[in-house]
Amino acid sequence: MRKRDFSLIRRVTTCFFLFLAVGCTVPFATAKDVLPTVINQVTPSTKHANLDRTIAQLLSHYHYRQVKLDDTLSGQVLDTYLSALDPARSYFLARDIAAFEKYRYTLDDYLRAGNLQPAYDIFNVYQRRLAEQTDRILKQLKQPFNFTIKESLALDRKEAPWATSVAQLNALWRKRLKHEMLNLILAGQDQAAARDTLQQRYEGLERRATQSTSDDVFQLYINALAQSFDPHTAYFSPRATENFNIQMRLSLEGIGSVLRMEDERVTIVELVPGGPADLSKQLRPKDKIVGVAQGNDEPMTDIIGWRLDDVVDLIRGPRGTVVRLQIVPAKAGTDGPSKTVKLVRDTIKLEKQAARSEIKTIPVSGGNVQVGVIVIPTFYSDFAAAQQGEKNYRSTTRDVRQILKEMRNKVDSIVVDLRQNGGGSLQEAVELTGLFIEEGPIVQVRDTGGGVEIEEDPDANLVYEGPLVVLVDHLSASASEIFAGAIQDYGRGIVVGDPTFGKGTVQTLIDLSRFIPNAQGSLGQLKLTIAKFYRISGGSTQHRGVVPDIILPSLFDADEVGESTQDTALPWDEIRPVRYSSDSDLTTLVPELARRHRVRTASDPEYSTLLEDIQAAKEARNKTTVSLLQRDRKIEWEKAQNRLFERENQYRAAQGLSPLSKGEEIPEHEEGTDPDPLLDESTHIAADLAILAQRSARGVALTGR
């Protein structure tokens, strides 16, 4: 392995973190003309001009793509910026967009010159349109709504044509307000209460719009530039930098979730392993947060249209205090029923993210198979303790090594569960792989100049050599993909689950204050993509991820979640493979393992219910329009509620509990009690693998039992 200087990459932890302020699509407002609310124009500062030039240079010279800041990129920055400001195309008029076309091939020139005026001009037009429209919305809310008219609202307006007139915008907003009011009515409010809620929502939107600052505009615009290079490159303002550092230190006293704004709704991007949100088992990525309440009794605050940082401040709080979230689950669709989730804030510590294990007994013909399950929420390491020379510092590899020693002679097969593991330490992914192989390369890292560094197993000791199954899903990313890919390339184990996320890029954090002489205070950070990961077989984990040997169903939609859904994601490619020794015998067992899997799941009731849930979620996601006829909406709502009720009673039957009667509130579940058909099936596959591997070693035929 070449030992040339690779310090830039060595400083990187390869976590999948999308805490990006560019996702904040919260509207801002100001005015040139006579407006309902008089707001000052937002203008760029000298500090931002200097910072703009610095960031533009860093991106052009050091980003992995090595693309020029030219006319083509200029057009992409413009489109990304407009989409960030007005994602549902609900404020700008077509004539505004036509006027902005003069910047399509010139923003690159302005950026290099440190001239931010075009971005602020566009922003101020947006502010004016928002203030005008908000005033009209508040007037519309005073008018009666007719819920007996058969009409519908388009749910996805990302590609919709821009409105050509105020009348078109008013028509759009009339339908949108009916939709929002119907949601509130179906959730239990009467029309008067729903009207009051919406009035408070849009008055709050108008009020918060007055608080827009020059920093807000700069962050939004520069992130439009950064996102034009790739989805994981981002500018963090000083405030966003502190939020990011809090998450990386894992010391946030809150619920442990990464949020961003999507279509004016606060959306859960990631659950921090071991945090209250993760441990509750009631929240998933893509769920929408529409309300927040403090304690057990405080009223729910509607947060639709709020600034993302204000929502974060509302959710965050002291350890031991209660926060209640009103959630619209992703699987329920945009107009689905909401639920309330109560969480107790806690300090998210390394201990709660540590690998954990259990042993499951799997009945088979002629006896039982003992399967060890090792759940790894993230690839962690207590770097500070290690640097201080502590002998027993915590890390993924150290903890799993101990688990494997404790399982020795107790299990016939092992499942390593990497579901929703978004990554973490590259070194831990490499060292963990080394527990399952004797020696050899683990992953290749290619830098911007084309140089390739090969990361190898640092320890020749093989800790576990028995049958191995690696369980992944569409949120297994980065370091998880390195581990799963290496196990698959070596033929060391069977990978099962959903194709992984596809994040095969490496980022570093750059303190921007270092590049501005005499900078006063923090200027934030630039998270910059500087390298790509490649499997030892030569293919990248970027974009495509790791494709399992046996596919299991998933609630996550590959068209909505994953690297391949990002417009500016770096492409898949491959480089030369490296020398390594692979066990090809294992691949011969896959067809029989897959056959047994199909036979078994065909008669498994929990697995069948999961497939039904997936189909229902797919149908909800595929809805392009929603009815504004109250009668139809009520039928759809009751159907969704009945399904939740039926699922709850299925759960209660499995737990030996009495069923709920119609109308009873669905209680919260205790941690770890929800059915997990995917893990159950993975342990059965692991049991089959143990049996087949043993028969293969004895030369017995692989079909039949």
Side-chain angles (χ1 to χ4, degrees):
M1 182 172 93
R2 283 176 288 175
K3 297 296 182 181
R4 56 187 181 73
D5 183 16
F6 215 63
S7 59
L8 191 59
I9 293 175
R10 288 288 193 186
R11 292 199 303 269
V12 177
T13 55
T14 62
C15 63
F16 161 51
F17 237 81
L18 292 177
F19 191 76
L20 305 185
V22 71
C24 178
T25 59
V26 182
F28 303 94
T30 191
K32 270 186 190 175
D33 307 331
V34 178
L35 294 175
T37 303
V38 179
I39 310 170
N40 292 327
Q41 293 260 24
V42 184
T43 57
S45 68
T46 302
K47 173 186 73 174
H48 291 143
N50 293 334
L51 199 51
D52 162 33
R53 286 192 294 268
T54 298
I55 292 173
Q57 290 174 3
L58 288 170
L59 289 170
S60 297
H61 290 94
Y62 299 107
H63 190 277
Y64 183 83
R65 284 181 63 188
Q66 294 286 285
V67 297
K68 293 182 179 179
L69 186 54
D70 57 12
D71 290 355
T72 300
L73 197 66
S74 172
Q76 196 163 4
V77 172
L78 177 63
D79 291 337
T80 303
Y81 186 48
L82 294 176
S83 179
L85 285 170
D86 191 3
R89 303 193 171 189
S90 304
Y91 298 101
F92 281 131
L93 292 166
R95 64 175 179 266
D96 298 326
I97 302 303
F100 300 151
E101 280 298 307
K102 64 185 177 185
Y103 297 126
R104 180 159 296 278
Y105 303 112
T106 58
L107 286 181
D108 55 321
D109 302 317
Y110 283 110
L111 283 163
R112 280 193 296 269
N115 188 338
L116 295 165
Q117 197 58 51
Y120 283 74
D121 288 344
I122 292 172
F123 189 82
N124 286 325
V125 172
Y126 174 71
Q127 291 176 310
R128 184 165 71 253
R129 295 298 180 222
L130 182 139
E132 293 167 347
Q133 192 60 50
T134 304
D135 185 55
R136 291 192 290 264
I137 288 167
L138 293 172
K139 290 176 180 177
Q140 280 185 318
L141 279 172
K142 296 176 181 178
Q143 305 300 316
F145 289 95
N146 187 345
F147 297 111
T148 63
I149 300 175
K150 191 175 180 62
E151 59 182 352
S152 61
L153 172 71
L155 293 173
D156 187 356
R157 286 185 47 81
K158 290 186 181 70
E159 303 298 328
W162 298 95
T164 58
S165 66
V166 170
Q168 282 189 5
L169 280 182
N170 286 343
L172 167 66
W173 276 99
R174 180 187 62 81
K175 290 185 174 183
R176 180 166 170 175
L177 291 172
K178 283 183 68 174
H179 169 61
E180 293 180 351
M181 186 171 286
L182 272 174
N183 279 341
L184 294 170
I185 291 171
L186 291 170
Q189 294 189 18
D190 58 27
Q191 283 202 35
R195 197 181 300 273
D196 288 344
T197 297
L198 291 177
Q199 181 171 336
Q200 292 172 16
R201 179 182 298 176
Y202 287 99
E203 285 176 346
L205 171 62
E206 191 171 42
R207 183 172 58 253
R208 286 185 295 276
T210 66
Q211 302 166 4
S212 175
T213 66
S214 183
D215 286 344
D216 294 326
V217 185
F218 181 76
Q219 178 167 295
L220 197 64
Y221 180 55
I222 292 301
N223 267 309
L225 168 64
Q227 294 289 283
S228 297
F229 280 79
D230 89 297
H232 303 288
T233 293
Y235 165 66
F236 292 162
S237 69
R239 182 175 184 180
T241 295
E242 177 57 21
N243 283 332
F244 182 84
N245 289 338
I246 285 173
Q247 295 281 3
M248 292 301 288
R249 290 195 301 265
L250 303 175
S251 60
L252 167 65
E253 289 189 349
I255 66 169
S257 66
V258 180
L259 309 175
R260 73 176 172 197
M261 197 69 71
E262 289 184 358
D263 298 334
E264 300 175 8
R265 300 289 180 99
V266 175
T267 303
I268 296 174
V269 176
E270 181 183 354
L271 301 178
V272 178
D278 174 49
L279 296 176
S280 76
K281 304 303 180 186
Q282 298 186 76
L283 299 173
R284 290 179 175 273
K286 303 299 285 187
D287 286 353
K288 310 290 184 184
I289 303 176
V290 297
V292 181
Q294 307 301 327
N296 293 308
D297 306 313
E298 290 296 314
M300 191 69 66
T301 299
D302 182 285
I303 53 91
I304 294 177
W306 279 42
R307 293 170 57 108
L308 182 60
D309 48 9
D310 290 338
V311 175
V312 171
D313 288 342
L314 196 61
I315 294 174
R316 190 177 292 168
R319 178 185 181 187
T321 57
V322 170
V323 62
R324 303 190 329 274
L325 305 180
Q326 188 177 359
I327 301 292
V328 177
K331 64 182 180 181
T334 304
D335 60 327
S338 64
K339 66 177 182 179
T340 299
V341 176
K342 184 173 74 174
L343 302 171
V344 178
R345 299 179 178 102
D346 197 1
T347 302
I348 303 159
K349 293 186 178 295
L350 188 63
E351 179 65 32
K352 292 185 178 179
Q353 299 202 52
R356 57 187 185 273
S357 64
E358 63 177 319
I359 296 177
K360 291 180 176 286
T361 300
I362 309 300
V364 297
S365 177
N368 295 320
V369 174
Q370 302 300 315
V371 176
V373 176
I374 304 175
V375 180
I376 303 177
T378 186
F379 287 86
Y380 55 89
S381 181
D382 191 343
F383 295 111
Q387 290 173 353
Q388 292 170 7
E390 293 186 21
K391 293 183 178 180
N392 297 316
Y393 69 89
R394 301 297 299 274
S395 75
T396 303
T397 306
R398 283 169 165 257
D399 290 346
V400 172
R401 184 192 299 273
Q402 183 60 34
I403 289 171
L404 292 173
K405 288 181 178 179
E406 292 171 357
M407 286 183 173
R408 186 173 295 160
N409 302 322
K410 296 180 182 178
V411 299
D412 304 297
S413 190
I414 283 178
V415 174
V416 174
D417 186 352
L418 296 179
R419 288 176 298 171
Q420 298 191 40
N421 181 325
S425 166
L426 166 62
Q427 191 61 31
E428 286 303 314
V430 171
E431 292 184 6
L432 183 71
T433 307
L435 300 182
F436 300 94
I437 66 171
E438 289 185 354
E439 60 181 356
I442 306 297
V443 66
Q444 303 184 78
V445 188
R446 184 181 186 274
D447 63 24
T448 54
V452 176
E453 181 84 359
I454 300 172
E455 300 288 343
E456 299 198 23
D457 175 12
D459 187 349
N461 293 324
L462 178 62
V463 179
Y464 174 75
E465 58 182 344
L468 175 66
V469 169
V470 180
L471 175 58
V472 296
D473 67 9
H474 211 53
L475 292 182
S476 302
S478 197
S480 292
E481 297 172 288
I482 291 171
F483 176 81
I487 293 296
Q488 192 177 59
D489 285 340
Y490 274 102
R492 179 61 190 84
I494 299 293
V495 179
V496 304
D498 194 31
T500 60
F501 190 90
K503 182 186 181 295
T505 56
V506 184
Q507 286 73 42
T508 190
L509 285 170
I510 299 173
D511 182 359
L512 294 168
S513 300
R514 293 165 38 206
F515 295 88
I516 309 293
N518 304 317
Q520 299 297 314
S522 171
L523 297 178
Q525 294 178 319
L526 180 66
K527 182 157 73 83
L528 184 67
T529 296
I530 57 168
K532 282 179 74 173
F533 291 124
Y534 293 84
R535 293 167 62 157
I536 54 176
S537 54
S540 174
T541 56
Q542 170 63 15
H543 208 281
R544 293 185 183 180
V546 177
V547 179
D549 302 294
I550 297 176
I551 301 292
L552 300 182
S554 172
L555 281 168
F556 300 112
D557 186 355
D559 293 332
E560 292 186 356
V561 179
E563 193 79 2
S564 61
T565 66
Q566 306 294 324
D567 291 337
T568 57
L570 271 64
W572 178 90
D573 62 344
E574 56 186 337
I575 60 176
R576 294 178 60 182
V578 296
R579 288 176 173 266
Y580 65 98
S581 177
S582 175
D583 181 358
S584 59
D585 290 343
L586 195 61
T587 60
T588 63
L589 306 181
V590 172
E592 176 61 13
L593 289 170
R595 186 193 68 80
R596 295 187 180 200
H597 156 67
R598 290 191 298 269
V599 171
R600 181 170 47 248
T601 55
S603 58
D604 183 341
E606 276 296 340
Y607 201 86
S608 297
T609 300
L610 173 64
L611 294 178
E612 292 172 6
D613 287 345
I614 291 171
Q615 182 59 32
K618 183 177 181 180
E619 291 173 0
R621 286 193 299 263
N622 288 342
K623 286 180 63 175
T624 58
T625 61
V626 59
S627 173
L628 299 178
L629 187 62
Q630 186 169 356
R631 180 188 62 208
D632 291 350
R633 284 286 284 278
K634 187 175 181 180
I635 292 172
E636 293 176 0
W637 188 277
E638 289 176 346
K639 181 181 178 181
Q641 291 283 39
N642 288 338
R643 174 154 186 80
L644 291 175
F645 191 80
E646 290 171 3
R647 291 290 286 118
E648 173 62 19
N649 277 338
Q650 289 174 357
Y651 161 81
R652 295 177 71 82
Q655 296 295 314
L657 302 172
S658 58
L660 296 178
S661 301
K662 285 287 186 181
E664 282 192 79
E665 184 177 352
I666 297 176
E668 296 180 15
H669 295 172
E670 291 185 14
E671 179 188 337
T673 60
D674 284 322
D676 192 346
L678 296 180
L679 179 58
D680 291 343
E681 176 56 21
S682 298
T683 59
H684 280 86
I685 293 173
D688 285 342
L689 179 60
I691 294 169
L692 295 179
Q694 190 177 51
R695 290 184 179 181
S696 178
R698 296 200 309 263
V700 179
L702 299 181
T703 57
R705 282 210 106 138

